[in-house]
Amino acid sequence: MRLTRCQAALAAAITLNLLVLFYVSWLQHQPRNSRARGPRRASAAGPHVTVLVREFEAFDNAVPELVDSFLQQDPAQPVVVAADTLPYPPLALPRIPNVRLALLQPALDRPASASRPETYVTTEFVALVPDGTRAEAPGQLERMVEALRAGNARLVAAPVATANPARCLALNVSVREWTARYGAAPAAPRCDALDGDAVVLLRARDLFNLSAPLARPVGTSLFLQTSLRGWAVQLLDLTFAAAHQTPLATAHARWKAEREGRTRRAALLRALGIRLVSWEGGRLEWFGCNKETTRCFGTVVGDTPAYLYEDRWTPPCCLRALRETARYVVGVLEAAGVRYWLEGGSLLGAARHGDIIPWDYDVDLGIYLEDVGNCEQLRGAEAGSVVDERGFVWEKAVEGDFFRVQYSESNHLHVDLWPFYPRNGVMTKDTWLDHRQDVEFPEHFLQPLVPLPFAGFVAQAPNNYRRFLELKFGPGVIENPQYPNPALLSLTGSG
């Protein structure tokens, strides 16, 4: 049977349509550019920016309106909505190839690339857009790209006209001290971090080279990582509109979002190794150990705690607990008439810093053995462990004939009390550990004792404490800091 020209043309058209439909269907079920090793720049004719929506609550959001507003400005605008797991209730997203839902939590039935957000981004730039944003003016993303290319900041941002628009902050992150310090930005509109709602644009390669590019809360995690790298963010004179449908409009939704946000933020800071956040005005937030938890590190081997190998010093929450314990123990000893003095590394810290050495993990005090009976808590500790009315634990140490006062039953940060007694004018004791400073010394260093600032209070110390310390540690010990066991790890050799 012979086909007419019309029949042949109709068959060809049907075949072409079927091929197009098959390709579109296949494209919708594949992570974009799943075999690519990283983001590549879009062609000159296509969009340069992917809108990436990460910060939203699944139970109450305006993400569909956000996505629709950007598509109204450019129907070809690439949009990626990223969530840990499939949002519920389901998001009403348009079923078109340039709008993708990326699920970041790995699943048994999906390839590894499907849980990597960079798989879905093929543009040179990424705009991190928070829930509650609406694009109403044309060309806003293009203006942000121009500003980024023209300036020397690694990120640019445009505030969103919500009840909490973005403002500039200074941010100093100290990995070694486990601390993030926020303050007023001295050179706004260039800043280290933002507080509030903003669209943030940066190069895709920069975003996905961060260790936790889409950790939530996005603003907190992003700026902790970028400020540590010295990347500035420029706040532009450009504003995005707020959504018509305000997310979290009810009191219950706001309460739920705030509760989950606090939990999420605390988990993020702990995961990134931040134990203390300091805000302008002096407000402090603690994310480490306390009396109800265990301490931040395990058993110390070779006088070298694990965090020193990570080029970190003692977590600030641990130092706070040690200061509190030391002040309390000194108060009890003084009230009971027990003669005591700062010993070992604690005396060295007082002489050098007026505080605990930043990498030390306990406090050492010497006491006169003959005064032990004056103190009710020490008498009790002779017979067994005693928990006092403040929750501190007094006990005999298992390592030898000395006392230990722990911060709590859960948290074993502690002050060690070493009983000395005089023999022929020399102070000695019955338990000696393999520490270089663990040596006898003349009693005249204790006659008299002298006050010395330490850990936020005034403690008693040997007179002529410089000579005392050099007797124990060697010449120049105050001016030449070193880790407790240089044979294992040297301060000068650390990062």
Side-chain angles (χ1 to χ4, degrees):
M1 170 177 150
R2 298 186 60 181
L3 294 177
T4 66
R5 290 185 178 179
C6 289
Q7 289 172 327
L10 180 60
I14 292 172
T15 302
L16 181 61
N17 282 333
L18 288 173
L19 288 172
V20 170
L21 286 172
F22 173 78
Y23 175 74
V24 170
S25 176
W26 175 84
L27 194 62
Q28 286 180 324
H29 288 83
Q30 298 296 317
R32 178 169 301 196
N33 199 21
S34 61
R35 294 186 180 181
R37 296 190 177 211
R40 61 176 176 85
R41 182 167 177 161
S43 66
H48 292 281
V49 183
T50 295
V51 169
L52 204 161
V53 185
R54 172 62 168 147
E55 198 60 67
F56 66 96
E57 301 295 345
F59 59 84
D60 188 336
N61 62 76
V63 170
E65 180 186 341
L66 181 161
V67 173
D68 182 65
S69 71
F70 279 93
L71 293 177
Q72 286 183 21
Q73 303 303 319
D74 180 1
Q77 173 65 59
V79 178
V80 175
V81 179
D84 293 322
T85 58
L86 189 66
Y88 183 83
L91 295 174
L93 300 177
R95 294 180 176 272
I96 55 177
N98 52 302
V99 176
R100 310 301 308 278
L101 177 62
L103 304 182
L104 306 183
Q105 184 171 298
L108 291 173
D109 59 345
R110 292 188 290 122
S113 59
S115 59
R116 293 198 293 264
E118 61 269 29
T119 297
Y120 301 84
V121 176
T122 62
T123 56
E124 182 181 0
F125 301 95
V126 174
L128 298 169
V129 183
D131 190 20
T133 303
R134 182 177 180 83
E136 288 189 339
Q140 288 179 302
L141 294 179
E142 288 76 6
R143 288 174 59 190
M144 294 182 75
V145 168
E146 291 171 3
L148 185 64
R149 284 177 168 162
N152 54 7
R154 295 289 282 268
L155 307 89
V156 295
V160 181
T162 62
N164 185 32
R167 65 187 182 99
C168 252
L169 292 175
L171 172 59
N172 177 266
V173 179
S174 173
V175 173
R176 174 170 273 182
E177 297 177 356
W178 311 71
T179 301
R181 298 178 177 90
Y182 291 89
R190 283 177 61 87
C191 28
D192 301 317
L194 300 176
D195 180 33
D197 297 324
V199 175
V200 179
L201 185 135
L202 70 165
R203 286 178 171 81
R205 67 169 182 267
D206 285 345
L207 175 64
F208 295 121
N209 276 329
L210 300 176
S211 60
L214 295 183
R216 296 183 65 191
V218 171
T220 302
S221 67
L222 177 69
F223 295 121
L224 283 172
Q225 296 174 87
T226 57
S227 64
L228 184 63
R229 290 159 173 78
W231 299 357
V233 54
Q234 182 179 357
L235 193 58
L236 303 177
D237 186 17
L238 169 69
T239 302
F240 281 83
H244 297 318
Q245 174 200 340
T246 305
L248 309 175
T250 68
H252 176 74
R254 288 193 296 274
W255 168 82
K256 185 176 180 180
E258 288 170 3
R259 182 191 63 181
E260 294 187 4
R262 285 193 299 270
T263 301
R264 196 179 292 129
R265 180 168 173 266
L268 169 75
L269 292 171
R270 292 189 183 102
L272 294 181
I274 300 297
R275 297 290 183 267
L276 174 61
V277 176
S278 170
W279 292 95
E280 53 184 328
R283 182 170 65 92
L284 301 178
E285 292 182 286
W286 297 89
F287 297 93
C289 65
N290 54 50
K291 268 191 177 288
E292 286 70 47
T293 70
T294 59
R295 66 184 184 184
C296 295
F297 56 94
T299 302
V300 176
V301 177
D303 296 329
T304 306
Y307 52 78
L308 289 184
Y309 291 102
E310 301 172 6
D311 199 23
R312 290 175 178 262
W313 289 348
T314 308
C317 48
C318 298
L319 291 173
R320 178 177 67 160
L322 286 172
R323 294 185 187 107
E324 181 183 341
T325 306
R327 177 193 289 268
Y328 176 72
V329 169
V330 163
V332 171
L333 297 179
E334 290 180 344
V338 176
R339 291 167 290 175
Y340 75 91
W341 61 92
L342 293 170
E343 259 291 347
S346 298
L347 178 61
L348 184 56
R352 186 187 294 148
H353 309 281
D355 200 352
I356 299 168
I357 293 175
W359 50 84
D360 209 351
Y361 54 89
D362 64 4
V363 170
D364 291 308
L365 300 177
I367 61 174
Y368 270 88
L369 177 61
E370 63 189 270
D371 293 346
V372 167
N374 298 342
C375 179
E376 177 185 354
Q377 289 87 340
L378 292 178
R379 291 197 308 270
E382 294 271 20
S385 181
V386 175
V387 181
D388 67 17
E389 69 279 1
R390 292 277 301 276
F392 294 92
V393 182
W394 299 69
E395 61 187 12
K396 288 293 288 289
V398 297
E399 298 94 329
D401 192 18
F402 62 98
F403 297 93
R404 177 164 289 164
V405 185
Q406 295 182 158
Y407 187 45
S408 72
E409 292 182 276
S410 301
N411 192 323
H412 295 173
L413 290 161
H414 58 266
V415 173
D416 285 336
L417 305 175
W418 301 90
F420 284 83
Y421 56 89
R423 185 172 60 195
N424 300 324
V426 174
M427 297 301 291
T428 188
K429 56 189 175 76
D430 293 330
T431 294
W432 300 96
L433 301 181
D434 188 20
H435 297 156
R436 57 177 174 162
Q437 71 272 21
D438 204 13
V439 296
E440 296 177 330
F441 58 91
E443 189 179 13
H444 67 71
F445 282 110
L446 308 180
Q447 298 174 339
L449 294 167
V450 298
L452 191 63
F454 175 71
F457 62 99
V458 176
Q460 295 297 305
N463 63 74
N464 201 347
Y465 55 80
R466 174 180 288 276
R467 282 191 59 197
F468 183 87
L469 286 168
E470 292 188 343
L471 170 68
K472 293 211 165 198
F473 292 96
V477 64
I478 296 177
E479 294 78 16
N480 298 285
Q482 188 53 271
Y483 284 157
N485 190 344
L488 285 180
L489 188 66
S490 170
L491 174 61
T492 54
S494 66

